[in-house]
Amino acid sequence: MLLHELPAEVLLHILASAGSLSDLQALAETSRRIHSIFQLEQSSLVYQVLANELGPVLADALGLSYIQALDALSPTFVEQAESAVSSYAQLLEAGGDVGSHPLLPRRPAWDSVLRLARSFRAMAYMASVYLTSTLRLIERETRQSRDDPEVAFRALARPSATERLRAVRAHYRLQMLLHLWECARADDSRHLSTVNGLCALLFALWEPWELQQVFGLGAFYMRLRPVVGRHPFQDQMVRRDVTGREGFYCFDAFRTHIRFLRLTNEPVWQATVAAMSNPPPGLEATGQAEEGRLAWFRFKLYDCYGAALHAPPPPEPPLSLRFTPGQEHVDNVPFAWVDAFDGRYGNNFWRLDGAPIREKGVSAVGIWSLLGMVMWDAPRAEALKEVSVALSSHCAKGWALLGTRNEHYY
């Protein structure tokens, strides 16, 4: 039996099982009958395939949609914001069952599904920018070393599905924070204390390594902004949004300009990516500069904790973390984190003293973030530790515990 001759319910099941929106589109265009069936159930099908593609990151996509709907000028902003964060927390708690969570409508409205799809394309696009730029930086480092070619092969392998999802999820979560901070700015800071308290609740929902993924991504964009800002802007408002003092909040305008730059002037875009992978000479200085960018987020973190009624509680037992080879998953602790803390639960990555590390003139925290270590699967992270010019001299197993006080860890 030909595909288009199958019963309608079977075709609906096949369409709903597509692994990506592009696969769904390709299937829908195979025949007129299949396209007609797709159109009748377009909203539900697109939502289901988005859920397939995002997996556990669907909770973050929905959480961002709740937060983006907030209006800082509304008299009910505080109630709406607290409800949005509470709904997001429930979705995270649902874990793998988020696709069938009671909070979600059985037949989602097309407008809401379309917003989710557009948001996903934006996050996936920017995640590809991050992954491409970071891997090119890693390529530069591996070329300068004289290590085994097999090490370079593992260090530069194409990103896995898990690595891509980590980067996509970090984008969603960074956007949640940026939108809340923008709400505080939009209303002359009347909501500053409320927003900081809500951010503290978000931080409490995320594991420490997940928070470091978000902040490391933010530092990447703080590096990228001035590089992008060197190129001509036809729209002065875009120039202000991208290069202005508070331009970091204007992620949408920033993304739009990057897409325009890439589509209209590919050589300039390639020069931009190349500049991102060729920081000033000296990995030590570069790592220290990266740590300075991370400080912006660290101060935000402390501001939010200070605004909360109480600091998020310390983690519950188990008091140690284990990485199981072959169990890479976006919700699991990454190998690089377990390795850095030697299996202990690092509760506060941002209070690292690291004096023994800096005596060698190296900022391990900055380099670790610069190379995106907490984003990578174990094979790449292990290979990067073997690249002599980058990590192995100062990021041996348990390096994050050096120079710290034990009360910060569990």
Side-chain angles (χ1 to χ4, degrees):
M1 183 177 289
L2 298 176
L3 178 64
H4 68 275
E5 296 176 347
L6 292 171
E9 57 271 19
V10 175
L11 290 174
L12 279 172
H13 179 75
I14 292 172
L15 289 169
S17 301
S20 67
L21 291 178
S22 58
D23 289 346
L24 175 63
Q25 182 179 2
L27 280 170
E29 293 175 352
T30 54
S31 76
R32 289 183 179 180
R33 179 168 180 258
I34 294 176
H35 189 263
S36 297
I37 293 173
F38 164 74
Q39 286 186 313
L40 288 174
E41 298 291 338
Q42 186 174 14
S43 177
S44 297
L45 286 171
V46 171
Y47 178 78
Q48 181 57 55
V49 173
L50 272 173
N52 297 344
E53 193 162 5
L54 283 166
V57 181
L58 176 62
D60 302 283
L62 293 166
L64 177 61
S65 70
Y66 300 153
I67 290 174
Q68 284 182 323
L70 299 176
D71 180 3
L73 302 180
S74 169
T76 60
F77 168 79
V78 174
E79 293 81 3
Q80 292 177 11
E82 290 175 345
S83 175
V85 174
S86 175
S87 297
Y88 170 58
Q90 292 180 52
L91 292 172
L92 279 185
E93 188 177 356
D97 297 327
V98 65
S100 57
H101 196 275
L103 279 173
L104 306 178
R106 292 287 183 179
R107 297 179 66 86
W110 175 241
D111 286 348
S112 62
V113 172
L114 189 59
R115 284 194 295 270
L116 275 176
R118 287 173 175 169
S119 175
F120 169 66
R121 290 185 185 221
M123 298 302 114
Y125 177 83
M126 297 307 292
S128 70
V129 172
Y130 170 78
L131 293 171
T132 298
S133 298
T134 308
L135 285 175
R136 288 196 181 186
L137 176 63
I138 291 172
E139 182 180 16
R140 191 201 72 154
E141 294 303 314
T142 55
R143 282 180 176 175
Q144 291 183 7
S145 70
R146 296 182 179 179
D147 298 305
D148 188 336
E150 192 271 335
V151 172
F153 176 81
R154 287 186 286 124
L156 297 171
R158 292 185 63 182
S160 69
T162 302
E163 290 172 330
R164 290 186 183 279
L165 278 180
R166 287 193 189 110
V168 169
R169 185 179 65 179
H171 274 84
Y172 277 116
R173 293 181 174 183
L174 177 62
Q175 278 300 100
M176 291 183 200
L177 297 174
L178 294 180
H179 192 80
L180 285 174
W181 290 334
E182 177 66 16
C183 286
R185 291 175 60 248
D187 199 28
D188 297 327
S189 299
R190 271 198 309 146
H191 298 316
L192 180 60
S193 178
T194 298
V195 165
N196 282 345
L198 291 170
C199 288
L201 293 177
L202 289 179
F203 295 150
L205 294 173
W206 303 334
E207 293 285 1
W209 51 89
E210 297 172 348
L211 189 59
Q212 208 277 339
Q213 289 168 353
V214 175
F215 284 8
L217 181 68
F220 167 80
Y221 282 108
M222 293 182 78
R223 279 189 281 125
L224 182 58
R225 273 184 57 215
V227 178
V228 172
R230 297 172 192 164
H231 304 302
F233 292 82
Q234 295 181 348
D235 188 325
Q236 291 303 311
M237 184 168 291
V238 173
R239 171 182 288 278
R240 184 199 66 188
D241 287 345
V242 174
T243 63
R245 184 175 180 183
E246 298 295 341
F248 188 68
Y249 292 105
C250 303
F251 182 89
D252 287 339
F254 186 47
R255 172 181 58 84
T256 300
H257 180 68
I258 289 178
R259 290 194 67 183
F260 177 81
L261 183 64
R262 191 171 189 177
L263 290 171
T264 60
N265 199 331
E266 181 66 18
V268 171
W269 170 249
Q270 292 301 328
T272 300
V273 176
M276 285 296 293
S277 62
N278 286 282
L283 194 62
E284 295 83 359
T286 304
Q288 290 169 356
E290 179 78 358
E291 190 166 353
R293 299 180 187 97
L294 290 170
W296 190 89
F297 295 92
R298 183 173 70 246
F299 295 145
K300 279 285 188 183
L301 175 68
Y302 293 156
D303 287 345
C304 293
Y305 279 169
L309 294 177
H310 58 273
E316 297 291 333
L319 304 180
S320 62
L321 297 171
R322 291 178 55 191
F323 174 81
T324 304
Q327 298 296 314
E328 303 282 7
H329 189 274
V330 67
D331 283 336
N332 292 350
V333 56
F335 165 82
W337 188 276
V338 176
D339 183 77
F341 287 93
D342 198 13
R344 299 174 68 182
Y345 193 106
N347 187 42
N348 194 336
F349 191 83
W350 308 100
R351 289 187 180 178
L352 292 177
D353 181 14
I357 301 173
R358 289 203 183 89
E359 286 178 0
K360 301 178 181 179
V362 176
S363 172
V365 175
I367 294 173
W368 206 70
S369 172
L370 187 73
L371 299 182
M373 292 294 289
V374 80
M375 294 285 193
W376 305 126
D377 290 343
R380 193 187 316 276
E382 289 177 316
L384 284 173
K385 288 187 49 155
E386 298 176 40
V387 178
S388 59
V389 298
L391 287 174
S392 62
S393 62
H394 52 277
C395 283
K397 185 177 179 66
W399 70 266
L401 298 177
L402 296 175
T404 61
R405 294 183 295 171
N406 290 335
E407 60 262 31
H408 298 320
Y409 302 92
Y410 292 87

